[in-house]
Amino acid sequence: MGEPAEVMYEMISEVEPYMPKDKIRYLMGVGTPGNILEGVRRGVDLFDCVMPSRNARHGHLNTWKGIINIKNAKYELDEQPLDEACSCECCRNFSRAYLRHLFKADEMLGMRLAVMHNLHFYNNLMLRIREALDNGTFDAFYRRESPGHPYLTTPQKGEQTAKKRENTCNSALFSVYFMITLIRRNIFQ
């Protein structure tokens, strides 16, 4: 927890060969669309995270064109739906301006609509991933969607120092080797 995404992906790739093939592979607390796509690519089946609902309650909404902060002033008079490619109740019935108004007025309806929208977005993302897996086209789907697609990008935090990154990597590696040891000893079977 707290390691850079690249380290997390490396650790998933290290652990995956040791995980039972006939059991669900669960990645706890991972929730950006990009993290989900990368996790599935590495064999993860199940995710859980508060991110879609928490971010929605703070006005950060996922769209197929990227993240929108609905509280920004530029949406004050914007009569477009939140996401034209979305079929959720919020996008079909309300404008960005109205949703922004609800947030600015501290109306609970704003948060409810935003949560409904983000959950709908995530459900559709998972539907697209499942369809690609079922059709045997996940690799093509991944290549098409992953390179800098707006809905997969997230705002970046400040750079870590080299020492902090090294410590994070060492801690993550220890966790991976501990998990591999437990798996080899059949603790999880």
Side-chain angles (χ1 to χ4, degrees):
M1 198 154 160
E3 69 271 359
E6 298 78 26
V7 174
M8 176 182 65
Y9 301 149
E10 183 182 341
M11 296 305 108
I12 295 169
S13 295
E14 289 292 323
V15 169
E16 191 276 332
Y18 300 100
M19 297 300 291
K21 302 292 183 207
D22 60 336
K23 300 200 184 208
I24 292 175
R25 293 148 184 230
Y26 167 60
L27 188 58
M28 180 191 293
V30 173
T32 68
N35 291 157
I36 290 172
L37 192 61
E38 292 293 338
V40 169
R41 181 174 176 233
R42 289 164 173 79
V44 176
D45 302 304
L46 183 66
F47 304 86
D48 81 301
C49 188
V50 299
M51 188 175 289
S53 56
R54 179 187 296 152
N55 285 358
R57 290 191 307 271
H58 292 281
H60 297 271
L61 306 171
N62 294 90
T63 74
W64 297 106
K65 292 183 178 177
I67 296 172
I68 287 179
N69 181 349
I70 200 65
K71 294 180 181 181
N72 286 350
K74 66 182 177 180
Y75 300 115
E76 186 172 9
L77 301 174
D78 191 340
E79 291 301 319
Q80 296 179 79
L82 183 58
D83 186 350
E84 293 175 359
C86 182
S87 62
C88 77
E89 291 294 316
C90 180
C91 291
R92 286 185 305 162
N93 295 300
F94 304 104
S95 69
R96 293 175 181 181
Y98 181 65
L99 192 55
R100 180 182 185 278
H101 159 73
L102 293 174
F103 269 92
K104 289 302 191 178
D106 290 326
E107 289 286 341
M108 287 300 296
L109 178 59
M111 286 189 270
R112 292 183 71 181
L113 290 171
V115 168
M116 284 173 35
H117 168 78
N118 270 6
L119 293 178
H120 187 86
F121 173 88
Y122 272 75
N123 282 336
N124 279 333
L125 173 62
M126 295 308 296
L127 178 65
R128 290 179 180 190
I129 290 171
R130 277 193 305 273
E131 285 175 352
L133 289 168
D134 289 346
N135 296 332
T137 58
F138 181 78
D139 288 340
F141 175 83
Y142 175 83
R143 284 191 305 275
R144 185 178 66 247
E145 298 294 321
S146 64
H149 199 287
Y151 76 85
L152 295 176
T153 58
T154 55
Q156 299 297 313
K157 294 182 180 175
E159 293 293 320
Q160 290 184 330
T161 64
K163 186 66 176 168
K164 184 175 180 183
R165 185 177 174 98
E166 180 183 327
N167 288 342
T168 300
C169 290
N170 289 340
S171 174
L173 280 172
F174 174 77
S175 297
V176 167
Y177 291 120
F178 179 72
M179 289 295 293
I180 290 170
T181 301
L182 292 176
I183 292 166
R184 285 183 177 158
R185 291 183 183 167
N186 296 321
I187 300 295
F188 292 117
Q189 295 181 0

